[in-house]
């Protein structure tokens, strides 16, 4: 196995599965007592905790056609506001979420043990994805989180500009059986498509692949596309064995990031989507490591109107394919066309430089994600605005920072267990250091514009993500060429190809500790994360 920047010693055997046991850690925000929240009913602060999920027996993976497919695209379940009278809310969204063990049936007669977000304690999940949080700029958010898992967990509000102590950072974990309330206000300009997921260190990947993830939409009062019909496509992937169990990660999952054999949209496999008139699609890539290069099988074009942080300045027409790395989101306009037609929504093959313990990596192939039926509306095509919103460059930077992403493999210790049962022979690093929650890696000042030069000194793609803010990509340096970013947009996740350098302009508005990391969750858990102190 030839890899740049590896510490390769003696090549030891083939891949072996590492069952990662659930474990608990001391954590903050335990709440031995909490007064019930007004409008939410009486709920105990300390809730029953289910036992740890037993490691499932080793078994072959289920066949690709073991899950039913072709049903209509399910709607996402909306998290209800506990304040039932909108006139009394004062722009307050108050709700409850619990992370708890659940059971779903994907394969006939086989129960699958999962962990899911539910709309409050002792509630059953409504679908596979966590409830959709649909709110507005200016809203005050109060969400009570009850952790009914056998290990610490958090809720990270991916992409949202929330205070550091409300952002579900690894050091702010909620202990099993405990609860806390997340509180923040959504400032003007924060409209966009976001999501939430857990963020406990060395446990994030496991919790997400067991099912913990949910979508967020923040709406603007002056949205020029507010009247357009919306479709929501929340992508996750799922791995099941023939017994319906979710198997643990193996060594190659830790190396490359986990991909399941099933890609689900709103919890459904290859659903049928109806485009009965032009539509606005909000798309989330909530997979742990899967890249989605989206396209239609008949090569029809679509229009991109938004990224992670909301609408673009102007629509980008004629798009035939769009790459979404893990954690990223997009908004598209999909047109029905002049006549009835049908096409598959595809994830085109994308080579992101996977590694293999056996020395060979299976070739990437195209994958059908959904079947789409197009039917023109009686009124014909909608007129798309030529201007969507104002986005201006952040301006001249007052500081420069450099982030280097590297990886090291010690093959002699590849099969040894490290902390939390993770493989000790793998290290994914930022600036040559593995994540330490007690160490501040870099310091920034509030409201100061900075340019970060992010460098990928590995032979595989890594999606870079920063907490608490959006950034603007300035340019890409790849294969000896520097290419300016083709359009101005707000993002919180950007992909870097092997040996690529990306420059971003960013600014933090609130003091405290922020994380930045690779959003392949296994790489994050294995150390490719660092701490930014904002003063």
């Amino acid at each position: 196995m030839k890899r740049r920047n590896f510490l390769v010693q003696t090549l030891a055997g083939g891949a072996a599965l590492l069952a990662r046991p659930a474990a608990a850690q001391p954590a903050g925000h335990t709440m031995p007592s909490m007064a019930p929240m007004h409008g939410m009913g009486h709920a105990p602060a300390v809730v029953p905790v289910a036992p740890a999920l037993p490691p499932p027996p080793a078994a072959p993976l289920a066949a690709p056609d073991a899950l039913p497919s072709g049903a209509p695209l399910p709607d996402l379940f909306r998290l209800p506001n506990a304040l039932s009278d909108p006139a009394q809310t004062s722009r307050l969204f108050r709700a409850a979420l619990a992370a708890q063990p659940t059971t779903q049936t994907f394969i006939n007669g086989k129960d699958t043990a999962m962990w899911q977000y539910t709309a409050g304690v002792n509630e059953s999940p409504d679908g596979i994805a966590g409830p959709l949080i649909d709110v507005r700029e200016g809203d005050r958010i109060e969400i009570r989180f009850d952790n009914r898992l056998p290990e610490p967990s958090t809720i990270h509000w991916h992409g949202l500009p929330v205070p550091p102590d409300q952002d579900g950072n690894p050091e702010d974990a909620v202990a099993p059986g405990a609860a806390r309330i997340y509180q923040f206000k959504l400032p003007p300009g924060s409209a966009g498509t976001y999501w939430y997921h857990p963020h406990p260190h060395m446990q994030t990947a496991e919790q997400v692949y067991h099912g913990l993830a949910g979508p967020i939409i923040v709406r603007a009062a002056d949205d020029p596309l507010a009247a357009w019909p919306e479709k929501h496509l929340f992508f996750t992937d799922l791995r099941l064995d023939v017994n319906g169990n979710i198997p643990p990660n193996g060594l190659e999952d830790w190396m490359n990031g986990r991909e399941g054999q099933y890609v689900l949209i709103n919890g459904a496999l290859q659903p049928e989507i109806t485009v009965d008139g032009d539509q606005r699609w909000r798309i989330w890539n909530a997979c742990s490591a899967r890249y989605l290069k989206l396209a239609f099988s008949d090569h029809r074009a679509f229009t991109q109107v938004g990224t992670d942080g909301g609408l673009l300045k102007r629509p980008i027409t004629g798009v035939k394919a769009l790459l979404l790395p893990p954690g990223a989101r997009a908004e598209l306009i999909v047109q029905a066309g002049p006549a009835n037609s049908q096409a598959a929504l595809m994830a085109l093959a994308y080579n992101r430089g996977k590694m293999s313990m056996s020395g060979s990596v299976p070739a990437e192939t195209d994958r059908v994600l959904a079947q789409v039926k197009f039917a023109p509306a009686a009124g014909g095509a909608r007129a798309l605005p030529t201007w969507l919103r104002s986005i201006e460059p952040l301006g001249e930077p007052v500081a420069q920072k450099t982030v280097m992403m590297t990886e090291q493999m010690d093959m002699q210790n590849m099969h040894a267990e490290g902390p939390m049962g993770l493989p000790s022979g793998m290290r994914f690093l930022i600036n040559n250091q593995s994540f330490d929650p007690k160490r501040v890696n870099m310091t920034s000042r509030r409201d100061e514009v900075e340019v970060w030069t992010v460098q990928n000194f590995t032979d595989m793609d890594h999606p870079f993500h920063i907490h608490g803010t959006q950034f603007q990509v300035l340019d890409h340096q790849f294969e000896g060429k520097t290419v300016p970013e083709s359009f101005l947009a707000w993002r919180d996740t950007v992909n870097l190809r092997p040996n690529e350098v990306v420059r971003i302009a960013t600014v933090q508005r609130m003091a405290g500790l922020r994380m930045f990391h690779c959003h392949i969750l296994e790489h994050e858990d294995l150390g490719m994360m660092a701490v930014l102190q904002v003063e």
Side-chain angles (χ1 to χ4, degrees), residues 106-345:
F106 296 99
I107 302 173
N108 285 338
K110 311 284 187 182
D111 288 340
T112 297
M114 299 186 71
W115 291 344
Q116 292 183 266
Y117 289 117
T118 64
V121 179
N122 298 323
E123 299 292 331
S124 297
D126 196 323
I128 303 304
L132 168 64
I133 300 173
D134 197 332
V135 289
R136 303 164 295 174
E137 287 180 342
D139 282 359
R140 291 183 295 119
I141 309 298
E142 291 183 6
I143 294 180
R144 172 178 168 138
F145 170 56
D146 286 272
N147 181 13
R148 304 190 71 192
L149 304 177
E151 60 188 46
S153 191
T154 75
I155 298 181
H156 167 54
W157 312 100
H158 182 118
L160 284 175
V162 307
D165 63 352
Q166 302 297 314
D167 204 17
N169 289 329
E171 287 300 281
D172 289 332
V174 178
R180 69 159 291 173
I181 297 175
Y182 290 103
Q183 300 181 78
F184 49 89
K185 186 173 181 178
L186 298 170
S190 61
T193 303
Y194 305 93
W195 64 300
Y196 59 95
H197 61 82
H199 216 298
H201 184 41
M202 294 190 288
Q203 297 169 294
T204 297
E206 178 198 39
Q207 293 188 9
V208 171
Y209 75 64
H210 274 108
L212 290 173
I216 304 172
I217 295 174
V218 180
R219 301 187 184 274
D222 58 350
D223 184 347
L225 303 178
W228 284 63
E230 283 192 11
K231 279 282 194 302
H232 302 148
L233 282 68
F234 190 75
F235 285 92
T236 57
D237 59 9
L238 177 69
R239 183 181 298 171
L240 294 177
D241 66 22
V242 293
N243 299 313
N245 294 315
I246 298 176
N249 274 344
L251 279 181
E252 292 194 5
D253 295 316
W254 290 109
M255 279 183 172
N256 298 312
R258 181 188 183 99
E259 293 181 355
Q261 74 265 48
Y262 307 110
V263 181
L264 307 181
I265 309 178
N266 301 356
L269 179 66
Q270 295 182 11
E272 182 179 283
I273 302 174
T274 300
V275 180
D276 47 357
D278 300 349
Q279 295 176 349
R280 176 186 191 175
W281 285 15
R282 294 182 187 261
I283 296 177
W284 293 260
N285 184 353
C287 301
S288 294
R290 183 181 299 279
Y291 283 65
L292 297 172
K293 189 176 182 180
L294 300 174
F296 288 109
S297 59
D298 61 357
H299 310 294
R300 72 179 64 205
F302 50 86
T303 299
Q304 185 177 4
V305 293
T307 49
D308 302 334
L311 293 176
L312 305 173
K313 180 181 288 187
R314 295 180 180 86
I316 302 173
T317 59
V319 180
K320 295 290 186 72
L322 178 66
L323 181 67
L324 281 187
R329 291 86 62 210
E331 296 185 48
L332 311 178
I333 296 296
V334 178
Q335 295 178 303
N340 291 341
S341 60
Q342 185 167 341
L345 177 64

Side-chain angles (χ1 to χ4, degrees), residues 404-420:
M404 296 182 297
M405 296 191 289
T406 58
E407 56 198 25
Q408 297 175 348
M409 298 290 161
D410 178 358
M411 301 307 296
Q412 191 171 27
N413 294 310
M414 187 60 66
H415 299 279
E417 281 196 7
M420 304 292 291

